[in-house]
């Protein structure tokens, strides 16, 4: 009887773990985007306007657990507010490898970090500045 109970509990526990999302590899130290912008934990980012018609964000998510889900984009109301970068995650591999910044917006009461898919958010102008400097001024020009 004990073995049946043990087997049932183990099966339920393992099934629950199988549904957890991939957390991505945690990055320590600064990261450099494909555009040459160097970001560090503690940097301040400023949100632009959301890229969706509703005003919501397409490349900023309500938590890292929701990263990549189309229905879990950050809602409107964050335009021109600031957030502090707490840590970075690396997701994907090869040419699809990209960085995600986990931030906590200033004045927010949520316990979850917001997840910013950095490159697409910068392209869509959902992130408009870092430490008070416009993204366009931070891009490193490549010489041939």
């Amino acid at each position: 009887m004990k073995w049946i109970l043990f087997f049932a509990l183990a099966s339920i526990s393992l099934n629950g773990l199988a549904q957890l999302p991939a957390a991505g590899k945690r990055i320590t130290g600064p990261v450099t985007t494909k555009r040459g912008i160097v970001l560090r934990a503690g940097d301040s980012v400023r949100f632009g306007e959301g890229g969706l018609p509703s005003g919501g964000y397409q490349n900023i998510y309500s938590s890292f657990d929701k990263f990549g889900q189309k229905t879990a984009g950050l809602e409107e109301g964050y335009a021109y507010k600031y957030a502090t970068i707490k840590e970075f995650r690396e997701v994907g591999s090869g040419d699809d490898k990209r960085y995600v910044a986990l931030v906590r917006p200033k004045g927010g009461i949520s316990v979850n970090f917001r997840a910013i898919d950095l490159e697409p958010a910068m392209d869509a102008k959902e992130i408009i500045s870092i430490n008070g400097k416009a993204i366009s001024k931070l891009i490193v020009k490549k010489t041939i």
Side-chain angles (χ1 to χ4, degrees):
M1 182 69 170
K2 289 181 184 179
W3 283 104
I4 295 172
L5 182 61
F6 174 75
F7 181 73
L9 289 174
S11 297
I12 292 170
S13 297
L14 292 176
N15 187 27
L17 289 174
Q19 295 175 5
L20 291 175
K25 179 180 160 190
R26 185 175 183 184
I27 303 296
T28 57
V31 300
T32 304
T33 66
K34 294 176 184 175
R35 296 173 157 198
I37 298 172
V38 178
L39 298 164
R40 294 172 181 79
D43 284 351
S44 177
V45 297
R46 188 172 188 196
F47 295 113
E49 295 182 4
L52 298 174
S54 66
Y57 292 84
Q58 192 169 8
N59 303 297
I60 304 174
Y61 301 91
S62 57
S63 74
F64 189 69
D65 293 339
K66 307 282 185 191
F67 176 74
Q69 297 177 7
K70 293 185 184 219
T71 59
L74 189 63
E75 65 278 358
E76 83 267 5
Y78 286 89
Y80 307 108
K81 295 196 179 196
Y82 291 90
T84 303
I85 297 175
K86 298 298 181 183
E87 66 181 73
F88 297 98
R89 300 284 174 100
E90 181 180 350
V91 296
S93 61
D95 290 339
D96 191 37
K97 180 176 80 170
R98 58 193 195 275
Y99 295 111
V100 175
L102 300 181
V103 301
R104 180 156 295 140
K106 294 189 177 172
I109 60 172
S110 176
V111 296
N112 290 333
F113 289 119
R114 306 299 189 237
I116 302 172
D117 196 355
L118 289 169
E119 295 286 343
M122 289 179 193
D123 290 341
K125 295 186 170 77
E126 291 181 343
I127 296 296
I128 57 174
S129 71
I130 298 168
N131 293 330
K133 284 194 170 183
I135 298 291
S136 61
K137 294 185 182 204
L138 294 171
I139 296 173
V140 176
K141 307 262 191 243
K142 293 187 179 182
T143 57
I144 298 177

